[in-house]
Amino acid sequence: MLTEADVERGDRILAAMRDARVSRTQVATHLGLTENAIWRYETGRTSPPATRLGRLADLLGVSWAWLAYGVDERQGEPESSDRIADLESRVRLLEAAVASLLAERADIRVEHRS
């Protein structure tokens, strides 16, 4: 079910793509997705996971917070910006932990086959 927040996020994604002069094809290639998946983000039909949203924000030259929630860190309250920065940091730590666990799991499979 589409929510107003999903549609607004999609509008921000589309606006950032236009401002950065980045095409749907370029975004899809950068994220390893189809153009249809990017269209679904633009229209708010689906929301990108936090990690993918971060990669998209980097590509488009905007903050993760703005892309996700419309928070302009320059105008937001310090507590909000601090909280968002903390959450972004935690997401990065979790991503690293998951990557490490997946690498360990791959090593165990290789050892088991030997």
Side-chain angles (χ1 to χ4, degrees):
M1 178 175 171
L2 280 174
T3 67
E4 186 175 337
D6 293 329
V7 172
E8 288 173 355
R9 182 178 305 107
D11 289 344
R12 285 190 299 277
I13 290 170
L14 189 56
M17 287 172 58
R18 285 183 185 145
D19 289 348
R21 296 182 181 181
V22 175
S23 71
R24 186 179 297 148
T25 302
Q26 291 170 309
V27 171
T29 299
H30 181 78
L31 297 178
L33 299 172
T34 65
E35 289 184 44
N36 186 51
I38 304 308
W39 174 81
R40 294 180 65 77
Y41 293 164
E42 294 171 359
T43 57
R45 285 178 172 62
T46 58
S47 291
T51 54
R52 193 165 292 144
L53 197 62
R55 291 180 57 211
L56 181 57
D58 289 343
L59 173 67
L60 301 176
V62 297
S63 73
W64 180 89
W66 181 79
L67 210 52
Y69 302 109
V71 174
D72 185 346
E73 293 176 345
R74 293 164 295 175
Q75 297 173 354
E77 295 179 23
E79 289 180 11
S80 297
S81 294
D82 290 345
R83 177 76 175 132
I84 290 168
D86 179 56
L87 290 172
E88 287 175 329
S89 175
R90 289 175 186 226
V91 166
R92 285 198 254 348
L93 288 172
L94 287 171
E95 288 173 337
V98 168
S100 176
L101 288 171
L102 290 174
E104 284 180 26
R105 186 174 180 193
D107 287 344
I108 291 170
R109 285 185 185 165
V110 170
E111 289 175 11
H112 182 68
R113 289 182 185 161
S114 300

